[in-house]
């Protein structure tokens, strides 16, 4: 799962029938520092996110599983949460390196 | 599965039912020396991991659904363990 910012919405009238009634939002995937980490994409909204909201998104089959009733719809990105609070410590606080030998973490 | 470091927490009051009453953590995969630390993602926590913990993360839906015992679970990344020690024999 990943973070995403709602940038707008999309309306489609001619589409796969099962996508009827699904709210399509234009989203921009973000990394943990809220910097864009990919191109704008379309996600199906399940949590009534509005424009500008920071959201939690899920990709691939799990996005289809997140739909309310239809399980087998051609959806590969879904908004599954609206972020209220995001706490991210700066990278400098941690050592992400895997080094040769034994490293104790606790 | 991959090794990662928990570097943040996400609070969502409005979320999909499968994500309710479980912590959502920001995980940064561990990398080899010199590699840039990117590719961070969000993972649902089942082990009460906190910021700074090194964790084992399963990043495949079927595994997550099995662990969560939810055949329709819309979850991909799931923290399945807190790592105490890692031994690396060779590093290329």
């Amino acid at each position: 799962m990943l973070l995403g910012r709602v940038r707008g919405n999309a309306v489609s009238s001619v589409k796969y029938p099962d996508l009827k009634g699904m709210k399509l939002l234009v989203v921009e995937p973000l990394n943990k520092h809220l910097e864009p980490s990919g191109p704008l994409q379309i996600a199906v909204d399940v949590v009534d996110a509005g424009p500008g909201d920071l959201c939690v998104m899920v990709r691939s089959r799990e996005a289809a599983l997140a739909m309310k009733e239809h399980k087998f719809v051609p959806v590969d990105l879904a908004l599954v949460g609206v972020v209220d609070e995001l706490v991210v410590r700066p990278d400098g606080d941690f050592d992400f390196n895997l080094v040769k030998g034994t490293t104790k973490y606790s | 599965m991959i090794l990662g470091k928990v570097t943040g927490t996400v609070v969502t009051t409005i979320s999909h039912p499968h994500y309710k009453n479980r912590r959502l953590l920001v995980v940064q995969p561990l990398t080899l020396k010199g590699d840039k630390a990117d590719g961070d993602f969000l993972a649902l926590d089942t082990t009460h991991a906190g910021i700074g913990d090194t964790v084992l993360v399963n990043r495949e839906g079927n595994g997550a659904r099995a662990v969560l015992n939810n055949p329709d679970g819309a979850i991909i990344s799931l923290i399945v363990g807190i790592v105490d020690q890692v031994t690396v024999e060779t590093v290329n």
Side-chain angles (χ1 to χ4, degrees):
Chain A
M1 294 91 75
L2 62 154
L3 290 169
R5 177 83 66 188
V6 176
R7 290 285 182 224
N9 67 338
V11 175
S12 161
S13 47
V14 179
K15 57 191 173 185
Y16 185 77
D18 278 358
L19 290 180
K20 185 174 278 302
M22 288 190 182
K23 197 166 122 193
L24 304 175
L25 293 179
V26 178
V27 293
E28 181 174 43
L30 305 175
N31 65 18
K32 66 183 182 227
H33 298 306
L34 303 185
E35 295 144 356
S37 63
L40 294 188
Q41 296 162 45
I42 299 291
V44 174
D45 178 25
V46 178
V47 284
D48 296 334
D53 281 352
L54 181 62
C55 295
V56 175
M57 311 196 298
V58 64
R59 287 199 187 100
S60 78
R61 180 168 183 267
E62 282 64 37
L65 286 173
M67 294 299 110
K68 288 204 170 53
E69 62 291 329
H70 299 293
K71 283 293 177 288
F72 292 102
V73 285
V75 167
D76 71 351
L77 187 59
L79 295 182
V80 288
V82 177
V83 175
D84 292 312
E85 190 192 316
L86 175 68
V87 173
V88 178
R89 293 262 295 277
D91 284 355
D93 291 7
F94 308 102
D95 174 9
F96 299 126
N97 286 325
L98 272 172
V99 294
K100 196 167 178 210
T102 299
T103 312
K104 279 200 177 306
Y105 287 113
S106 64
Chain B
M1 292 189 290
I2 65 165
L3 289 170
K5 187 82 84 173
V6 177
T7 65
T9 59
V10 178
V11 173
T12 61
T13 37
I14 307 165
S15 67
H16 188 280
H18 295 165
Y19 289 71
K20 286 246 181 302
N21 52 49
R22 275 222 172 80
R23 287 162 55 90
L24 204 53
L25 300 175
V26 178
V27 176
Q28 171 66 56
L30 296 190
T31 56
L32 292 179
K33 199 174 263 308
D35 292 351
K36 189 175 172 303
D38 60 5
D40 54 83
F41 58 91
L42 304 184
L44 210 63
D45 178 32
T46 61
T47 61
H48 305 301
I51 292 183
D53 283 342
T54 301
V55 289
L56 194 61
V57 187
N58 168 55
R59 298 203 69 189
E60 197 275 329
N62 288 329
R65 280 186 282 282
V67 168
L68 294 172
N69 198 356
N70 177 353
D72 295 329
I75 288 124
I76 295 179
S77 305
L78 192 69
I79 294 177
V80 291
I82 298 179
V83 174
D84 294 326
Q85 177 179 308
V86 170
T87 300
V88 177
E89 295 301 331
T90 58
V91 177
N92 46 20

